Amino acid sequence: MSTTPLHGGAASGFRRMWHDLEALGLEGDSGGYHRFAWTREDHDLREWFAGECADRGLDLTTDRMGNQWAWWGDPDAAVAAGDPGVVIGSHLDSVPNGGAFDGPLGVVGALAAVDQLRHDGFAPARPVGIVNFADEEGARFGVACAGSRVITGALGADRARGLADNDGVTMAEAMRRAGRDPAALGRDDETLARIGAFVELHVEQGRLLVDLGHSVGVGSDIWPHGRWRVDVPGEANHAGTTALAEREDAMLGLAAMIIAARRAAETQGCVATVGKVQVLPGGVNAIASSATGWLDARGSDADAVLRVVTEVRDVVSDFDGLVTQESWTPTTDFDPALVRRIATRLDGLPVIGTGAGHDAGILANAGIRSAMLFVRNPTGVSHSPDEWASADDCLDGIAALADVVTDLAGAGA
Ligand code: GLV
Ligand code: MN
Ligand code: MN
């Protein structure tokens, strides 16, 4: 990569911010993070973001969903002039026991990139925004990228407000407790109009960059993917006194569903995961009266992914089970001209696809010019405390991001 390396101030700023975040939302001594939307941890992360933006004199706004946007320059004057801004950033929430990089690298990286640009004396010809998207992982309410889906209208406000967490707390109630007005939720055209281009820096969640021998790559597309809730009914009864032949055991349907998903994924060339289940009444000595599993299915071919779901549906129907789609994101191609331009600017960095979902994909599907930069992850592990990238590679990614903003927000663009 030929991009100028980060200067000392931006690099040490990155290290300081990374250090600040290390303690926020740590889950015991597991090394992983629990940073769910609209919780105390999320509040602390949002306050941290607001503080960093204030320290840089950026103007912070929140949209109808509570996503945070910090602006260097006036985004509305740019809209009025027909030349909207360039936005960078990502999210700060996590999956259960998540890693440190998925999300925070893009937010911290965006702040450090602005430090680099200012150190270089860069004068943006159009505003530069930094976003912290709310609830990207959907870890609490089930729908991933809820922040970007609501403001683009991909997730309706009524449905979003009614989504409930494991304790039955709705998103509306959680937002109210966090000091937000859930009545405000909805498509936010004013916010969307301010985004001329969005570039999200992210840790790679695979090993393509390791194989290619590059610290940074440019994103081309996201696999189609979705989440389905599978409910299997049963009848609670005593584990010792109920004959096998007399049981209505919800667990059997759930087990059959999990095996069917795996087999169908193998035959269809997809991936399928059941990483969350809920069993009632949840007693060791009680037959399950209901069992719910959440299926996450993805692949390069949307029809093949949907065939996996059909096979699962067929299997659970034998157990009177019900499959309900909770979200679906079609194949997402990032803006081809923007991808080419970024790859060329960054001296021909590799262009790679991903099976992971991102807010950049939701914006792209809403017609907003979007792209991504990925930072090498030596093991490829993600959504786990083992997720990692070296500081040198992160700094390469931030330098690349600053270079891209110089190009996209510069006078010549
Ligand atoms: C988000 O990280 C997802 O791909 O599930
Ligand atoms: Mn993630
Ligand atoms: Mn992410």
Side-chain angles (χ1 to χ4, degrees), residues 218-288:
V218 184
S220 55
D221 63 284
I222 298 178
W223 275 2
H225 58 282
R227 294 182 184 187
W228 292 263
R229 176 187 163 116
V230 182
D231 292 298
V232 184
E235 200 174 273
N237 211 333
H238 195 285
T241 59
T242 317
L244 291 179
E246 284 171 16
R247 296 180 181 213
E248 296 287 334
D249 187 347
M251 289 303 277
L252 297 185
L254 187 67
M257 181 283 270
I258 294 168
I259 302 290
R262 170 68 186 232
R263 295 225 166 104
E266 280 165 7
T267 35
Q268 297 297 337
C270 299
V271 290
T273 308
V274 181
K276 175 177 165 181
V277 299
Q278 205 169 54
V279 179
L280 295 177
V284 177
N285 53 356
I287 295 162

Side-chain angles (χ1 to χ4, degrees), residues 91 95 102 136-137 205 383:
H91 62 96
V95 297
D102 176 358
E136 193 272 351
E137 299 289 4
Q205 297 165 295
H383 287 182

Side-chain angles (χ1 to χ4, degrees), residues 180-197:
R180 300 215 60 79
D181 176 12
L185 258 64
R187 187 181 160 94
D188 192 334
D189 287 311
E190 196 183 345
T191 294
L192 298 178
R194 294 173 176 159
I195 316 168

Side-chain angles (χ1 to χ4, degrees), residues 310-368:
T310 303
E311 288 188 36
V312 164
R313 193 173 267 120
D314 286 349
V315 167
V316 298
S317 70
D318 291 344
F319 296 85
D320 297 325
L322 201 66
V323 178
T324 312
Q325 182 176 293
E326 294 206 321
S327 64
W328 171 249
T329 307
T331 308
T332 303
D333 289 318
F334 292 122
D335 185 271
L338 181 61
V339 171
R340 264 195 312 278
R341 177 169 167 170
I342 292 175
T344 307
R345 172 84 187 188
L346 298 178
D347 201 22
L349 283 189
V351 176
I352 58 174
T354 178
H358 300 283
D359 293 305
I362 303 300
L363 295 191
N365 285 331
I368 293 171

